[in-house]
Structure formats: C-alpha cells, structure tokens
Amino acid sequence: MTLFGALGFTTPWLLLGLLALPVLWILLRAVPPAPVRRLFPGVVLLLGLRDEEQVSDRTPWWLLLLRMLAVAAIIIGLAGPILNPEDDGTVAGDRPLLVVMDASWASAESWPARLGATEALLNRAEREDRTVAVMRLTAPEAPTFQAADALAQRLAGLLPEPWAPDAENMEAVADLLPEGAFDTWWMSDGLAREGRETLLDALEDHGSVTVFESPEPLYALAPARFVDGNVALTLKRLRAGPAREVTVLAEGRDPAGNPATLAQLPMQFEDGAVLAEGELSLPSELRARVDRFQVQASDSAGALTLSDDSLRTREVALIAGTENREGLELLSPLHYLQRALEPTADLIDGALSDVLPANPDVIVLADVATLGPEADAVTEWVEGGGLLLRFAGPRVAASDLSRGEEDPLMPVRLRAGGRSVGGAMSWGEPKTLAPFDAESPFFGLDVREDVTVEAQVMAQPDPTLASRVIAQLSDGTPLVTRKQVGQGQVVLFHVTANAEWSSLPLSGLFVQMLERLAVSSMPAQPEIEDMEGTTWQPEVVLDAFGDLRDAGTLPGVDGEALVSAPLGPELRPGLYTGQDRSLARNVVDADTELRPTAWPDRIPVEGLSGPEEQPLAGWLLALATVMLFADILASLALTGRLRGARPVATTAAAVLLALSVTALPDRAAAQGTAPGQLAPSEDNGPPSEQAEPDAGPAGDFALAATAEVTLAHVLTGNDDVDEIAHAGMRGLSDTLYFRTSVEPGPPIGVNLEEDELAFFPMLYWPVTPDQPTPSAEAYAKLNEYLRSGGLILFDTRDADIAGFGASSPNGRKLQELADPLDIPPLEPVPEDHVLTRTFYLLQDFPGRYVGRDVWVEAAPADAQIVEGMPFRDLNDNVTPVVIGGNSWAAAWAVDDNGQPMLPLGRGFSGERQREIAYRFGVNLVMHVLTGNYKSDQVHVPALLDRLGQ
C-alpha cells in the first residue's frame, strides 16, 4: 500500500490515469456538440445560400468540468483509496503471519479492541495476499495458515478463557509452531509470567515479532476475608499510577430474589501504590445474601471474586444447665463462650425446644447432662449436618450420662465421677496440654504452658477412643474428643466452659480452638489434608468476562485439586459444593501477584487502538455515477431533447438533491425543533421520543414545566439514583401517554432549594441515606406544595424491610426528612381506598420489590360505608403523601428506546409484576389529577359490575 499522509491506495499505479485528463479535456473541447434540430418552415427561403465563414459551437466549460470530475472519481476509486490506513511497517513482507493471543482473563476487559485490531490486521494481510493463522495460549492448538478472509469469518468466535497460560502452555505452543519462516503479531495481556521468554525466543527464530498491549488499567480483586466482623477486600492493579478511587460492588439477591447491588465500597489507590484495601461492614442477614464482589464497570473475571460459606456467619445456640449464681457473672458457664463468639457469630439464646426450629449451625451445651424429650430432635439435627459442642461440668460428672453404654450424643463413654488434680485433696500438680497431633484439627496451634487443667471428666477406655481424641493432656488423658454422627459431629470438651476446672477459657487458645472447629465461621480455605478423598461438584462457573454460567454436566473435581491445582479446562473458576459447605475457586487468590511484562528493547510494543480504516472506493464510484447521470441530463437539455424549461429545472434540482444526499450527512435533527422546545399545536409523541428540556433561566424552567402535565422527581445528589428516578418518570409518562388521555411532557428533576414546586402535580422522592436535608426555606415550599393539593411519593427503595421504621438507613433518613413536613395521620392503604380504582382495579402496589404496606392519609374516623355502596364515602381531598419502599421508579424505568432498564423477577411473573407497577403509577397520577372522583355515586354501577358484585 502506498501512503500519502492520511490517505493510502491499494493499487496506486492506476493514479497514472489522471495524467490523461488534460488530453481528454482538449479532445472534448475540440469535438463540437451535437447540433440542435428545430422545425422551422421559413428555412426554405435560405436554401442555396452559401456562408463563407463557418464557426462550430463548443461544449460548455461547466459540462466539460463535470465530465472530468466524473472520470477522475472513477480513476481514484479504482485505485482503492483508504482513509487512515495503518502503517504496514509492523507487518511488512510477504511471509505468513501468525497471530498469538494470550486470551486470558486479563484480556477480557479489552477484548473488543483486540478483535478490532486483529480484524484490521487481517484486512491488511488480505490486501497483501498473505496467509494468516491464530493461536490462543490458553487453549493451544496446531496453527493452520489460511486465507485472511476465511479466518476473518471465524474471528467473532474467538473468546478468552477465565484462566492464565502457564509454563506448560508456553512449552506446548513452542512445540506446535510450524516449520518455516513467518512473522508474529502477539496480542499480549501485559502480565509477566513464567515461560514467556522461552516462547518469545522460539517465535523470533521464525521471523519478526510485534507485540500489542492495551494501556488501560488492569484490576484484580483478591478473595474476600472475614476479619473482626467485617468483610476485608484487597484490590490490586497492574501498574503503579496516580491516586485513584475504584468502587467495589457487593452483588447478591434482594428480598424478592432479584439480582441487586447490596452495598458499595470505595477503595482508594494512593499515588504510586498497586494495592488498595478496605473493609465493608454488613449485617449478617445481608452478608449471607452476597454472592460476589466486583469492580464497578469491569468486564473481567479477575476483577470479581465469588463468596462462599467462609463469609457466612454461623448461628450458634448457647444453652447451659440452670444454676442460680446471681452476681457471679465470671462463673457463668456461658460467659467466656459469649465473649469468644460474639464478634464472629450470631448467638441465639433460649431453651433447646425454642432454638431447634431455627435450625442453627452449632448448638453448645455447657454442663447439660440430660436433653429430655428433645434428644431425638437433636440427634436428627446432628445427622443432618449440625455441630453439637458439649462441655463437662459438675452435672455431667455427677450424672449417669454415657456410663454403661455410649450415648448417641456423646463422643465417648465416661467414667463415674471426675478427676481432680492440683487441688488440696489431690496427689499431683495441674496438668498442661500436650502438643496437638498432625491428625487433629488443632494441629499447628501453639500450646502455652500457662494453660492448665485442674479437673475433668474421664473417658472410659475403648477400642475407638484413640481415633476420637483430638486434644489431650500431657499425661495422655483425653481433653477433647469427637465423633461423626451422620453428616454432623459431636465434640466434647472434658472441662467446663468457664474457669472452674481449667484456665483454657481464659486463654486465646480457647478462641482458636473454637475457630478450628468452625464454630464461629467456616474456614476461609480448607487444608489439603481435609480435602483428601472428597469430590466437589461445580454449581456455577465463570467465563473470562465475569459472567456466571450454569455448570451443566461438568464432572466433579477432586478435593485436593480444587484447592491446589491451577485453573484450566479441567478446573474452571466457579462455585463448588461438598457435603457440608460451598467453596469458591476464584481467578485471583491472595497470593496472586500482578507484574507487567518487561519486553526486550528489540521488540516493538504498540497499542491496540488507532484511527479506523475507511475505504473510500465505493463513495467515489457512487459519486462518479451520479455525475455521469447529471452529464446525460445536461446533454439532453442542451440538444433540446428535453421539452420546456420546467423539466430542465426539475431535472437539475433532482440531480442537485441526489448529490446533496450522497455527499452530506443527515442534518435533519439540526433543522428540527430546538431541544426542550415544544410545539403547542401538534402531538409531540410519547415523552421518551421528545427532547429533554434544557436547564435554563426560571422562565424557561416554568415554560418547560407547564407546557404539558409534567412529572418530577427530587434530585438526591446520587447520580445513579437520580438517573433511575428520571428514567422511571419517563417510563410512567410513556404509559400515561399510550393508555390515558393524559399526554405528559418529558420529566424534570427538581432542586428543592431553587426550583418552584407548584408546577408539578406529583413529586417522586427516592430516599437515600446520604442525601442532604432540605433547608427551612425548602421545607416552607414543600409544606405550601402539600397544602395546595400536591402529592409526594416517598420511596425508601428497601422493599419496606424497615416496616416504615428506623431499623434501616433509608428508614431513618425518611423519618428525618418527613419530620418538618405537615403530614396528617397515616394508615396502610385500605381495601376501599380510591387508589385501588382510579383507573385500574388493584389489590397490590408492587414496584421492583413486592413489599408490605403502602401508607396514605388516614380516612376520617367517622367515614362509614353507606348501604348499597361497596366503599366508604370519603372527602375529595388527595392524600398529600404516599410512603412505601417498593422501588417503583426502578420498575417504571425505560431507556431512550423505551425498553426496560432494570430486570424484574423472572419470566412472565416478572413482566406481570412490572405491569402491575405501571398500573399503580397510572392510578396514582389519576388520583392526583381527579381527586376522589371515582368515589362519586354515579360510578357505583360500573364499579360493582367490574368487581363482580
């Protein structure tokens, strides 16, 4: 390809034809045009006369110019002009071309740009008649060189994999390289990894290598950890840079079961830092619904980490033998257990019969000898996977529990009485703990000498005793024993849960032992020894873009491989389930280090993006065709073949119109109505198709707000919430336009401090915890707005979890915002309220959530149902406020094309829920505009007929 600045030609030698244009001009200039023939009878009088001087007419210069331009356009078009051609220096030559793609999770973020760059390369290779082959390092296969156009058809099917190539992949690729010379174009993900230098040397043995990398930042999110009751997150970036804030989202299911963002955590990279850390405080109920943490606006599996049971706080029921020791808190059997478990577990108090229906994860019995009638239920609970943790004490020592026969809910048989050492009536010193065996779950914990035991219950020697001891004293007597019962287990500490028999509860070792037993939370990563002989079934797996896919028929994975093997086709990142827990295998782990690749100086490294090539041949040939058509019409007009001046003018106008349409872009929008300007005498279409009014002076604002009925929403300062609220008002306005006689204008966001409220029949006010509280002047406008008949729809957007109370941040903020307002007494919407029938007959008022009560102004105390009417005779006032938490704007929200913005439920049930939400919005607007019009007696027959009464 020959380049002339920003313009290139595939066959530049055809441009030599432009040299013939002057010759063609002279020839056309010398040849006279065809004579004009006219029928004129008087010409017979001129017959026989001879004119000595003859001057031939010449073709007009403008017609010659038109013909020259048409020929020039044809010549240039056939030369293959290309605007912004890419430099061929990186792939110059006639050798085959091998495209090597890392195709890892780190490539997913810029994958569209990589495919675009690869497509441009294939176009150049096709022009130069070079064969091309593609290799992916994450799924190496022997390359086959083929025509560039054939490979371009399969380009869209190339996808990255959710793992990274390792040294074995690099060696496999080097072994698969074909013989002979070829050039290489390496699409690198920018990550340094073992084996890259070896592969680079092998590729350079065959020809030149050019590397392409994306300059965009690359983020990786390490698995979440549970630290001191908070979720700790670590975010990494590939290259150090300036200070930057990145938001991490906690994604999960809302109370209605729909996907939702449950929390956000801004994480700050300091200047020059590659790590950012943060902690997220979430209630246990909310934490249990989080299924992943993800970097906002990122499409990479590395910027996402799946959560598993390691973040789920366990519910622990604490039950002790009844003993009245008023004032002796330190002697309480549960005191030290509560202190140890409160930071990391949800504690449940109550009798055994009360806590069993709650299905806790762990039940702790402190010096409880007999279980009574609940014993069978406890046994069934343990067999289903529960952990029963028992502590000895005076009652257990004095009872006959597990004496003759082993009790099903005891791990071993016990001797009668107990053992006392180190006391005044004993024959020895207090005993210390022996080091933990390798088979013990406590293996690796430091045994401190200041932890001593003075009394214990003794285990009866038994053939199975040795296999059930997981901790023992220095003299070999069992301290902690355990046995498996079905899918659960029973563990017995042979000492008390307080400090009466030992100093163990006073030490940090006590807390560590409870953690190893998974009493407070599941271990973040199981040990390889614990995974031996287990098989884990994949539930969902991740693709390279961070999307979850159903595992389908993928086979189970060996437990040891799940925690130690590298990711690949046999072990995909995702969520795996075992017998008693789920385990997430993420793309990035805590030990993953991001290091940029340091390419040798001899290797050229370029970016992915550049000006897009634009072929111009089609445009030029089309222009030449139009000019030749214009030449034909002009020639016919000059020779008189077209009758009359009007056809000539019409034809010329048509030619000019065709030229303008061909050469100029669409400027229809520039000739239309200005943004925000409404034509009062014509139908402007639904609000989503109308131009949004511009924010301007007060006069413009008033004109935009009053040209049509306009719905408004209160600006909260949160861009995401305000965008959804605006889209929700747009969707509701469209619904009103298509279904009712109301034709609203585009919705408007209202600033309570500056804007006039009297223009709007209704305000939608989404409640956020951090929105500013209005000033006294704003509240004065709001109260005047309510007194003059306006309505405010308060939406806490929390599915009414708080129950219109202060137990949620949105509920507390709602109380703060509504306190200065003159709001009358409220009640949940009664069955006969006019909101249930202003346009549609409704029973529920769902939004994106199906919450509980929706609150409106309470009916007068003396309002009663009149005989013969299906509802009470209420006054004509409009309720000034409607309060709920169903996130109505999210259900109403549509994009610029009128399509729903946010998902709602699943399948038909979700769409039905959205339809009911639209109907509630229509009823609400009709209620504002008509008051209690539908309460008039004239509508009673029709309503009774609709109600089936």
Side-chain angles (χ1 to χ4, degrees):
M1 178 184 292
T2 302
L3 301 180
F4 299 94
L7 191 64
F9 294 90
T10 57
T11 52
W13 59 269
L14 288 178
L15 296 177
L16 295 175
L18 296 176
L19 299 177
L21 290 180
V23 178
L24 183 62
W25 174 278
I26 296 174
L27 292 177
L28 293 177
R29 184 71 172 171
V31 176
V36 180
R37 296 181 179 274
R38 301 290 187 190
L39 294 178
F40 180 58
V43 77
V44 297
L45 300 176
L46 303 178
L47 292 176
L49 296 180
R50 187 177 184 87
D51 191 357
E52 298 297 335
E53 296 182 3
Q54 295 183 3
V55 179
S56 63
D57 196 5
R58 293 186 177 183
T59 304
W61 67 267
W62 55 267
L63 185 57
L64 287 176
L65 179 61
L66 180 64
R67 292 171 179 174
M68 293 298 102
L69 291 177
V71 174
I74 293 175
I75 294 173
I76 297 175
L78 294 177
I82 297 178
L83 186 63
N84 299 320
E86 297 192 24
D87 186 7
D88 291 336
T90 57
V91 290
D94 56 359
R95 291 178 294 189
L97 187 62
L98 177 64
V99 180
V100 176
M101 311 180 79
D102 283 352
S104 68
W105 61 267
S107 304
E109 187 75 30
S110 56
W111 193 251
R114 295 175 188 274
L115 290 184
T118 306
E119 184 178 6
L121 170 68
L122 295 181
N123 292 335
R124 298 208 307 268
E126 183 181 2
R127 292 194 298 266
E128 298 172 359
D129 198 22
R130 302 176 66 180
T131 57
V132 186
V134 174
M135 289 189 72
R136 293 185 302 156
L137 299 186
T138 48
E141 296 179 353
T144 301
F145 290 101
Q146 54 186 304
D149 57 345
L151 187 59
Q153 296 176 3
R154 300 191 295 110
L155 195 61
L158 294 178
L159 294 174
E161 301 291 352
W163 55 80
D166 54 16
E168 294 183 3
N169 293 114
M170 300 291 189
E171 294 178 3
V173 171
D175 295 338
L176 292 174
L177 292 179
E179 299 293 336
F182 56 84
D183 296 326
T184 302
W185 202 64
W186 194 334
M187 300 287 293
S188 170
D189 59 13
L191 290 177
R193 56 177 59 93
E194 186 179 354
R196 193 183 286 275
E197 293 79 7
T198 303
L199 179 59
L200 178 61
D201 293 339
L203 291 172
E204 286 190 295
D205 291 340
H206 295 272
S208 65
V209 177
T210 303
V211 174
F212 287 80
E213 289 184 352
S214 173
E216 297 299 323
L218 178 65
Y219 298 104
L221 188 62
R225 296 169 290 116
F226 193 62
V227 179
D228 297 331
N230 294 329
V231 178
L233 294 170
T234 301
L235 184 62
K236 310 173 184 181
R237 62 178 175 179
L238 178 59
R239 297 179 180 87
R244 184 169 185 175
E245 182 178 275
V246 179
T247 301
V248 175
L249 307 178
E251 304 281 353
R253 299 281 177 175
D254 59 23
N258 301 316
T261 298
L262 304 180
Q264 298 185 7
L265 175 64
M267 302 186 70
Q268 182 69 38
F269 283 102
E270 300 296 336
D271 188 15
V274 295
L275 289 179
E277 296 183 339
E279 292 188 356
L280 193 60
S281 178
L282 296 174
S284 59
E285 186 274 336
L286 192 62
R287 188 169 60 249
R289 290 195 276 113
V290 174
D291 54 33
R292 62 179 176 176
F293 297 91
Q294 183 174 7
V295 176
Q296 188 177 36
S298 179
D299 295 325
S300 170
L304 175 147
T305 178
L306 298 174
S307 61
D308 51 23
D309 287 345
S310 61
L311 291 185
R312 186 173 63 87
T313 303
R314 308 200 83 186
E315 294 182 340
V316 180
L318 300 180
I319 300 173
T322 58
E323 182 175 0
N324 185 12
R325 290 187 173 182
E326 185 178 354
L328 300 178
E329 182 180 359
L330 295 179
L331 296 180
S332 168
L334 301 179
H335 173 73
Y336 295 100
L337 285 169
Q338 290 171 339
R339 294 290 300 274
L341 298 177
E342 275 179 346
T344 56
D346 291 334
L347 304 183
I348 302 176
D349 296 325
L352 189 57
S353 59
D354 297 330
V355 301
L356 276 176
N359 193 26
D361 299 293
V362 183
I363 294 179
V364 180
L365 301 180
D367 195 19
V368 176
T370 59
L371 301 183
E374 289 82 14
D376 292 339
V378 174
T379 303
E380 182 180 354
W381 170 81
V382 173
E383 291 176 346
L387 170 61
L388 179 62
L389 180 61
R390 307 192 69 160
F391 286 86
R395 286 182 181 76
V396 173
S399 68
D400 294 331
L401 177 65
S402 198
R403 294 284 190 262
E405 295 182 1
E406 181 181 305
D407 189 279
L409 297 177
M410 290 289 287
V412 295
R413 291 189 300 125
L414 300 179
R415 293 185 183 181
R419 176 195 187 195
S420 177
V421 292
M425 299 299 294
S426 65
W427 289 275
E429 296 294 328
K431 300 299 181 182
T432 59
L433 275 66
F436 300 113
D437 295 335
E439 294 78 14
S440 171
F442 309 133
F443 178 72
L445 297 180
D446 293 332
V447 177
R448 301 181 55 176
E449 295 183 357
D450 59 349
V451 178
T452 59
V453 175
E454 299 178 356
Q456 67 175 136
V457 292
M458 298 291 292
Q460 191 74 255
D462 187 273
T464 62
L465 178 61
S467 63
R468 298 181 180 181
V469 176
I470 56 177
Q472 58 188 358
L473 299 180
S474 55
D475 61 356
T477 56
L479 176 65
V480 184
T481 54
R482 177 178 66 175
K483 79 171 180 180
Q484 199 77 17
V485 179
Q487 306 233 351
Q489 55 185 336
V490 178
V491 179
L492 172 65
F493 277 74
H494 291 241
V495 294
T496 57
N498 57 17
E500 287 189 66
W501 287 12
S502 73
S503 61
L504 178 62
L506 302 176
S507 67
L509 179 62
F510 184 62
V511 178
Q512 293 175 325
M513 293 174 73
L514 293 178
E515 290 177 350
R516 288 292 183 91
L517 290 173
V519 174
S520 59
S521 64
M522 298 293 286
Q525 184 73 15
E527 301 295 333
I528 296 181
E529 294 79 9
D530 298 334
M531 304 290 284
E532 291 181 357
T534 62
T535 301
W536 296 71
Q537 189 65 34
E539 280 194 354
V540 291
V541 293
L542 280 173
D543 64 13
F545 302 100
D547 296 326
L548 288 173
R549 309 292 184 189
D550 185 73
T553 58
L554 289 177
V557 177
D558 180 71
E560 294 181 74
L562 181 61
V563 298
S564 60
L567 294 174
E570 305 299 327
L571 177 61
R572 297 175 178 269
L575 191 64
Y576 293 78
T577 56
Q579 290 185 347
D580 58 351
R581 67 169 294 178
S582 63
L583 183 64
R585 183 65 194 269
N586 291 294
V587 173
V588 176
D589 57 31
D591 300 327
T592 300
E593 182 181 1
L594 301 184
R595 293 184 295 109
T597 303
W599 297 99
D601 295 337
R602 66 181 183 276
I603 302 298
V605 180
E606 301 183 9
L608 298 177
S609 60
E612 184 179 358
E613 288 188 350
Q614 181 63 45
L616 301 178
W619 291 94
L620 288 173
L621 293 177
L623 180 61
T625 301
V626 173
M627 287 191 291
L628 291 176
F629 180 70
D631 174 72
I632 294 173
L633 295 178
S635 299
L636 292 175
L638 290 175
T639 58
R641 305 292 177 85
L642 295 179
R643 295 183 178 180
R646 180 168 304 216
V648 175
T650 303
T651 304
V655 172
L656 293 176
L657 179 60
L659 287 171
S660 64
V661 170
T662 304
L664 297 179
D666 183 13
R667 301 182 57 88
Q671 305 299 325
T673 305
Q677 189 176 9
L678 301 178
S681 61
E682 58 185 52
D683 186 2
N684 295 284
S688 60
E689 298 180 4
Q690 298 180 27
E692 296 287 347
D694 294 336
D700 295 342
F701 178 85
L703 181 62
T706 56
E708 299 285 355
V709 174
T710 303
L711 304 184
H713 62 94
V714 176
L715 297 175
T716 65
N718 186 313
D719 293 340
D720 294 335
V721 174
D722 291 341
E723 180 182 0
I724 293 176
H726 191 81
M729 294 300 100
R730 183 169 59 222
L732 180 56
S733 298
D734 283 355
T735 303
L736 290 166
Y737 177 86
F738 288 115
R739 302 187 184 185
T740 71
S741 60
V742 180
E743 297 182 357
I748 293 179
V750 172
N751 185 327
L752 296 178
E753 304 294 338
E754 301 175 359
D755 296 333
E756 176 58 50
L757 307 181
F759 303 138
F760 309 103
M762 183 185 80
L763 292 179
Y764 174 76
W765 193 335
V767 179
T768 60
D770 54 353
Q771 65 181 266
T773 302
S775 64
E777 293 77 8
Y779 272 117
K781 290 197 298 183
L782 285 168
N783 284 322
E784 179 62 28
Y785 173 74
L786 294 177
R787 284 192 293 269
S788 61
L791 182 143
I792 300 178
L793 173 60
F794 287 99
D795 191 352
T796 59
R797 305 174 302 104
D798 57 1
D800 198 24
I801 295 176
F804 190 30
S807 60
S808 74
N810 289 4
R812 290 190 292 271
K813 188 64 178 181
L814 172 61
Q815 291 188 346
E816 177 186 341
L817 294 174
D819 184 60
L821 296 175
D822 296 335
I823 298 178
L826 304 177
E827 67 176 354
V829 177
E831 294 182 357
D832 62 343
H833 195 277
V834 72
L835 267 178
T836 64
R837 59 183 184 277
T838 50
F839 195 86
Y840 292 103
L841 296 179
L842 299 178
Q843 296 178 342
D844 302 310
F845 312 101
R848 196 179 187 195
Y849 310 128
V850 183
R852 293 182 291 182
D853 295 329
V854 176
W855 297 76
V856 296
E857 179 183 4
D862 57 350
Q864 297 180 355
I865 297 179
V866 178
E867 183 178 356
M869 291 190 63
F871 40 76
R872 290 173 292 177
D873 185 14
L874 304 176
N875 55 34
D876 288 336
N877 292 333
V878 174
T879 176
V881 295
V882 176
I883 300 177
N886 292 344
S887 192
W888 288 289
W892 299 334
V894 297
D895 57 20
D896 294 336
N897 297 322
Q899 299 300 317
M901 285 182 58
L902 300 172
L904 198 65
R906 293 184 177 179
F908 176 78
S909 62
E911 293 307 313
R912 178 62 180 171
Q913 182 177 333
R914 191 188 305 276
E915 171 62 22
I916 300 301
Y918 277 129
R919 294 185 179 188
F920 167 67
V922 172
N923 276 20
L924 191 63
V925 174
M926 289 300 182
H927 175 54
V928 174
L929 298 179
T930 65
N932 286 342
Y933 163 72
K934 279 296 180 75
S935 291
D936 293 345
Q937 293 188 10
V938 69
H939 299 285
V940 170
L943 289 173
L944 288 176
D945 181 65
R946 291 289 305 277
L947 292 170
Q949 298 182 14

